[in-house]
C-alpha cells in the first residue's frame, strides 16, 4: 500500500501566498454563508448548524479563519518533509454534491479555497464520491467524466492526494442512472423489497448481480464497464494524484442490506427488517431450502420478526431467551442471508481487484458500524443488516476473510462514537463493535481505514478519533474525516479541527506493526472464532 506523508510538499506559506489564501478563504466564507437557501442548495450549510450559526457565519468566520491561518501558517513552517517519519495519511471528504446531479461543478471558488487551507494545514488529501447516476445517467455504456476530471485536476494542482469513491448506489437527491430507473419501473424486483412490499430504490438487489436484467446485461457486467471506463479516463492520475479507489458495496456504499428506514426519527434505533422479499431473493432462498432438505423453510422470511422500529423483545425471533434465531431454522435463514451479502461483497471487490490490479492504487470497501442492540444476545440490528454476529458467533471473521482474499482495505466508520454517549435502553456498544471488527482484520491481515460519523453533534468526537488513531494494539492505515462544508470552516469547528489535527502524532506503520496471522487477540464482548464467543471473566 502506498503511504503518503502528512505535511509533505506543503503549500508555500510565503507572504504573497498567505495573502492570496486569506483572500480566497474570505470569499469562501461569504459564498458559503449568505442564506439558508443557498447553503442547502450547495450542500455546505446544513450539517445541523442551525439558523443562528448560519447568520453568524458571514463576518465571524472570516475573522476566525484569518486568526487561525496565522497559527496554521506558523505551524506549517515547523513541518518538514521527512519520509523516514511518516504519519498515517489523513483525508477530508468533500461535500457529497461537489458535482451536481446535472454533472456540473458546484461552487468551485469555495472548494478551491478549502483545498488550499487543507494543504497548508498538512492534510494528505481529500475524498470525493463519483456517482454512477451522474456520470452514466444518459444511457447504458455511455459515461461523461468531464466534471470529475476538472475536479481531479484542481486537486492535483493543489498538491493534495485524492481518494475516489465509485458509487454504484444512489441517495435521496441523486438517483441511479435514469435508464436503470426506467427498467426498474417495468421490473421492480431488481430492487430490494421488505415484508410489507416497500422497495428500496437507491441500489439494486444483490440477488440480480449476475442476472441479465439491465438491457440484456447483468449488473456485474455493467459495474465492470463503469470501473473500466473510469480507469481509462483517469489513467494519467492513477498512482500519483489518485492513490485510493473505494467501491460501493451496497446502500450508502456500505456492505449491508437496507434494513433500516431512511428517515429515522426515534432516538433509539429499532431492530430493522430483513430485506429478502423481492422475487430473486425469494428464489435464492427456496433453492437453498431445497438443497438443505427443508423445503418449507424457503417459502418466506421469518414470520415472527419485528418491524423496523420495534425492539428485540417485541416479537419472538430476537428474544434473548428461546428466540427463533437460536433454532435450526434461525441458523438456516441467518446463514443464507449473511452468506448472500458476503458473496455480493466478494463479487464487487474481486471485480475491482481485476480492473485495478495493475494500477498503483489501493482498493477500499466500507463496512457499517451497526452498534444498536449489541449488548443483547442476538445482536438483532446486525442480523437484519446482514451480519450473522451474535453472543455465540463471530460474524466478522468471514467478512475479514473476504476482504483479505481480495487484498482490499476495510473502511470502518464511527471512530468518533463512544459507549458513554449512547442511550442505555438501546443496549448499544460502538466501542465493542469497533474492537471486534479490528480484531478480525488483525487476525486475517486486513488493512483498516477509519472514518468518523459526522462533524457535529457527537460529544468528545475529536478525543475519540485521536484514541482510535493512537491505538497501540491496532493501527489504522488511513483516516477519512467527514466532511468539508460551511460548518467545517465555521468558528465552532475549524479552530477545534486545526488544534486536533496539529496535536496528532501518528506513527508510521512499521513492519513489526503489521498483522501476524499467528497472533490472537482477546477483548471483552468479542468473538475469538467464527462459532464460539469467549468473554473474559
Amino acid at each position: 500500500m502506498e503511504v503518503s506523508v502528512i505535511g509533505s510538499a506543503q503549500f508555500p506559506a510565503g507572504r504573497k501566498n498567505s495573502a492570496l489564501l486569506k483572500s480566497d478563504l474570505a470569499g469562501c466564507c461569504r459564498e458559503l454563508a449568505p442564506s439558508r437557501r443557498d447553503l442547502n442548495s450547495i450542500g455546505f450549510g446544513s450539517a445541523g448548524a442551525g439558523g443562528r450559526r448560519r447568520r453568524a457565519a458571514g463576518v465571524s468566520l472570516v475573522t476566525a479563519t484569518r486568526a487561525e491561518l496565522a497559527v496554521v501558517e506558523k505551524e506549517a513552517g515547523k513541518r518538514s518533509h521527512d519520509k523516514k517519519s511518516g504519519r498515517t495519511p489523513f483525508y477530508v471528504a468533500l461535500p457529497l454534491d461537489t458535482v451536481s446531479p446535472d454533472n456540473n461543478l458546484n461552487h468551485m471558488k469555495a472548494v478551491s479555497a478549502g483545498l488550499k487551507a487543507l494543504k497548508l494545514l498538512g492534510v494528505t488529501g481529500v475524498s470525493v464520491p463519483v456517482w454512477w447516476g451522474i456520470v452514466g445517467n444518459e444511457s447504458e455504456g455511455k459515461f461523461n467524466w468531464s466534471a470529475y476530471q476538472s475536479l481531479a485536476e484542481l486537486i492535483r494542482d493543489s498538491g493534495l492526494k485524492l481518494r475516489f469513491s465509485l458509487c454504484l448506489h444512489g441517495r435521496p437527491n441523486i438517483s441511479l442512472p435514469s435508464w436503470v430507473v426506467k427498467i426498474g419501473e417495468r421490473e421492480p424486483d431488481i430492487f430490494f423489497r421488505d415484508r410489507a412490499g416497500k422497495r428500496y430504490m437507491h441500489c439494486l438487489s444483490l440477488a440480480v448481480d449476475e442476472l441479465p436484467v439491465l438491457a440484456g446485461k447483468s449488473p456485474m457486467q455493467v459495474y465492470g464497464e463503469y470501473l473500466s471506463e473510469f480507469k481509462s479516463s483517469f489513467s494519467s492520475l492513477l498512482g500519483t494524484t489518485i492513490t485510493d479507489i473505494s467501491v460501493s458495496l451496497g446502500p450508502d456504499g456500505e456492505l449491508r442490506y437496507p434494513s433500516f428506514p431512511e428517515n429515522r426519527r426515534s432516538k433509539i434505533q429499532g431492530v430493522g427488517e430483513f430485506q429478502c422479499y423481492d422475487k430473486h431473493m425469494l428464489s435464492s432462498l427456496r433453492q437453498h431450502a431445497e438443497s438443505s432438505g427443508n423445503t418449507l423453510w424457503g417459502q418466506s422470511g421469518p414470520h415472527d420478526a419485528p418491524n423496523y422500529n420495534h425492539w428485540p423483545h417485541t416479537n419472538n425471533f430476537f428474544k434473548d431467551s428461546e428466540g427463533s434465531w437460536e433454532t435450526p431454522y434461525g441458523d438456516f435463514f441467518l446463514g443464507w442471508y449473511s452468506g448472500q451479502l458476503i458473496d455480493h461483497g466478494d463479487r464487487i471487490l474481486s471485480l475491482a481487484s481485476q480492473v485495478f490490479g495493475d494500477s498503483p492504487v489501493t482498493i477500499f470497501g466500507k463496512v457499517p458500524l451497526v452498534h444498536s442492540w449489541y449488548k443483547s444476545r442476538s445482536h438483532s440490528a446486525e442480523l437484519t443488516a446482514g451480519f450473522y454476529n451474535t453472543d455465540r458467533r463471530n460474524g466478522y471473521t468471514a467478512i475479514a476473510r473476504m476482504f483479505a482474499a481480495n487484498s482490499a482495505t476495510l473502511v470502518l466508520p464511527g471512530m468518533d462514537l463512544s459507549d458513554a454517549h449512547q442511550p442505555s435502553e438501546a443496549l448499544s456498544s460502538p466501542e465493542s463493535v469497533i474492537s471486534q471488527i479490528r480484531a478480525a482484520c488483525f487476525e486475517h491481515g486486513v488493512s483498516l481505514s477509519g472514518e468518523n460519523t459526522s462533524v457535529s453533534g457527537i460529544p468528545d468526537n475529536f478525543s475519540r478519533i485521536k484514541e482510535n488513531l493512537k491505538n497501540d494494539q491496532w493501527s489504522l492505515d488511513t483516516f477519512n474525516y467527514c466532511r468539508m462544508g460551511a460548518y467545517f470552516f465555521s468558528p465552532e469547528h475549524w479552530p477545534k479541527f486545526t488544534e486536533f489535527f496539529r496535536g496528532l502524532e501518528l506513527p508510521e506503520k512499521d513492519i513489526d506493526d503489521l498483522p501476524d496471522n499467528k497472533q490472537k487477540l482477546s477483548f471483552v464482548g468479542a468473538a475469538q472464532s467464527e462459532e464460539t464467543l469467549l468473554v473474559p471473566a
Side-chain angles (χ1 to χ4, degrees):
M1 175 179 178
E2 177 177 318
V3 178
S4 304
V5 181
I6 291 182
S8 63
Q10 296 292 330
F11 180 81
R15 184 175 301 174
K16 179 179 179 180
N17 287 306
S18 174
L20 289 173
L21 177 55
K22 291 175 183 177
S23 175
D24 285 344
L25 278 175
C28 166
C29 300
R30 287 191 294 270
E31 184 171 2
L32 296 179
S35 70
R36 177 188 298 261
R37 179 180 179 183
D38 187 44
L39 287 170
N40 288 339
S41 69
I42 63 174
F44 266 40
S46 51
R52 180 178 55 81
R53 181 178 296 157
R54 295 186 186 99
R55 286 191 295 272
V59 177
S60 59
L61 176 51
V62 176
T63 304
T65 301
R66 285 174 174 166
E68 185 59 31
L69 276 172
V71 180
V72 174
E73 193 174 295
K74 181 179 180 180
E75 191 72 19
K78 299 177 182 178
R79 298 181 186 272
S80 62
H81 184 133
D82 186 356
K83 294 183 179 180
K84 295 182 180 180
S85 60
R87 300 182 181 184
T88 300
F90 195 100
Y91 290 73
V92 172
L94 295 190
L96 291 172
D97 64 344
T98 300
V99 175
S100 67
D102 57 356
N103 209 359
N104 290 307
L105 291 175
N106 271 335
H107 293 257
M108 279 299 96
K109 182 179 179 181
V111 171
S112 180
L115 294 177
K116 292 177 182 178
L118 293 178
K119 179 61 180 177
L120 183 60
L121 184 60
V123 167
T124 308
V126 294
S127 62
V128 177
V130 181
W131 299 98
W132 180 29
I134 292 179
V135 298
N137 189 52
E138 295 182 2
S139 61
E140 191 275 323
K142 293 185 178 180
F143 300 93
N144 181 356
W145 307 99
S146 58
Y148 288 101
Q149 287 172 325
S150 297
L151 179 61
E153 291 169 359
L154 176 67
I155 294 169
R156 176 200 61 194
D157 294 344
S158 73
L160 292 168
K161 300 298 183 181
L162 173 58
R163 175 188 296 179
F164 265 138
S165 296
L166 303 184
C167 300
L168 304 173
H169 63 285
R171 57 191 302 264
N173 61 341
I174 301 177
S175 69
L176 295 177
S178 59
W179 62 273
V180 174
V181 174
K182 290 178 181 178
I183 292 175
E185 292 171 354
R186 299 191 303 268
E187 299 290 339
D189 280 296
I190 66 173
F191 299 114
F192 285 108
R193 180 178 180 270
D194 66 14
R195 183 169 50 186
K198 184 178 180 180
R199 300 188 186 277
Y200 182 81
M201 308 295 287
H202 299 313
C203 71
L204 300 179
S205 169
L206 57 81
V208 302
D209 276 354
E210 298 178 299
L211 300 179
V213 296
L214 299 180
K217 296 182 179 180
S218 71
M220 291 304 301
Q221 289 176 306
V222 175
Y223 298 159
E225 291 175 355
Y226 173 49
L227 269 59
S228 297
E229 286 293 329
F230 170 87
K231 177 185 177 182
S232 176
S233 299
F234 292 87
S235 59
S236 64
L237 298 177
L238 293 177
T240 53
T241 297
I242 303 172
T243 57
D244 306 327
I245 301 293
S246 178
V247 288
S248 171
L249 300 178
D252 296 326
E254 299 175 333
L255 181 67
R256 65 175 175 88
Y257 290 97
S259 54
F260 305 107
E262 293 181 67
N263 298 316
R264 297 194 297 267
R265 297 180 180 180
S266 174
K267 184 179 181 181
I268 299 177
Q269 179 177 285
V271 300
E273 286 193 19
F274 294 111
Q275 305 292 308
C276 60
Y277 295 92
D278 65 76
K279 72 178 184 181
H280 302 291
M281 286 290 286
L282 289 175
S283 175
S284 172
L285 178 59
R286 281 193 296 270
Q287 293 176 29
H288 184 61
E290 291 171 1
S291 65
S292 67
N294 295 284
T295 305
L296 294 178
W297 286 356
Q299 294 182 352
S300 183
H303 69 279
D304 57 349
N307 294 328
Y308 286 109
N309 296 316
H310 288 171
W311 292 14
H313 60 268
T314 305
N315 288 61
N316 188 63
F317 193 84
F318 295 120
K319 283 185 176 179
D320 277 354
S321 178
E322 300 182 351
S324 299
W325 64 276
E326 290 190 281
T327 65
Y329 165 75
D331 181 64
F332 156 83
F333 175 79
L334 294 171
W336 166 80
Y337 189 69
S338 64
Q340 293 294 300
L341 183 67
I342 293 171
D343 288 346
H344 167 73
D346 184 56
R347 285 190 289 269
I348 297 293
L349 290 179
S350 177
L351 175 64
S353 296
Q354 292 172 19
V355 172
F356 296 103
D358 59 350
S359 301
V361 295
T362 301
I363 302 301
F364 287 70
K366 190 173 181 179
V367 171
L369 186 70
V370 185
H371 55 85
S372 292
W373 310 111
Y374 186 87
K375 294 179 182 178
S376 67
R377 292 192 56 231
S378 67
H379 295 208
S380 53
E382 290 169 278
L383 296 184
T384 59
F387 303 99
Y388 193 0
N389 190 59
T390 69
D391 70 337
R392 298 187 303 174
R393 189 181 192 280
N394 188 344
Y396 295 107
T397 297
I399 302 292
R401 191 183 299 128
M402 181 266 289
F403 270 79
N406 293 289
S407 301
T409 295
L410 188 149
V411 178
L412 182 60
M415 292 286 174
D416 52 342
L417 299 179
S418 64
D419 290 3
H421 298 290
Q422 305 303 315
S424 58
E425 302 92 333
L427 301 179
S428 173
S429 181
E431 294 178 30
S432 296
V433 184
I434 289 174
S435 293
Q436 186 174 354
I437 295 177
R438 291 180 93 157
C441 290
F442 189 94
E443 180 179 354
H444 291 280
V446 176
S447 297
L448 196 64
S449 177
E451 192 170 285
N452 61 312
T453 301
S454 64
V455 297
S456 63
I458 305 296
D460 303 323
N461 60 329
F462 286 127
S463 60
R464 282 297 303 156
I465 294 173
K466 186 176 292 186
E467 288 176 20
N468 279 303
L469 282 168
K470 293 186 174 183
N471 190 298
D472 293 330
Q473 201 170 20
W474 304 294
S475 59
L476 296 174
D477 276 51
T478 63
F479 193 89
N480 187 44
Y481 188 85
C482 301
R483 77 183 47 251
M484 184 192 289
Y487 177 71
F488 183 85
F489 287 113
S490 72
E492 293 89 345
H493 178 266
W494 175 246
K496 293 179 181 178
F497 176 79
T498 54
E499 180 183 2
F500 151 76
F501 184 80
R502 289 197 305 269
L504 292 177
E505 293 295 336
L506 308 179
E508 181 180 25
K509 289 177 72 68
D510 187 83
I511 186 118
D512 295 331
D513 296 328
L514 296 177
D516 181 351
N517 289 339
K518 296 180 180 179
Q519 290 180 269
K520 299 290 182 180
L521 301 174
S522 62
F523 51 91
V524 176
Q528 296 301 317
S529 70
E530 186 166 358
E531 301 299 333
T532 304
L533 179 66
L534 303 177
V535 181

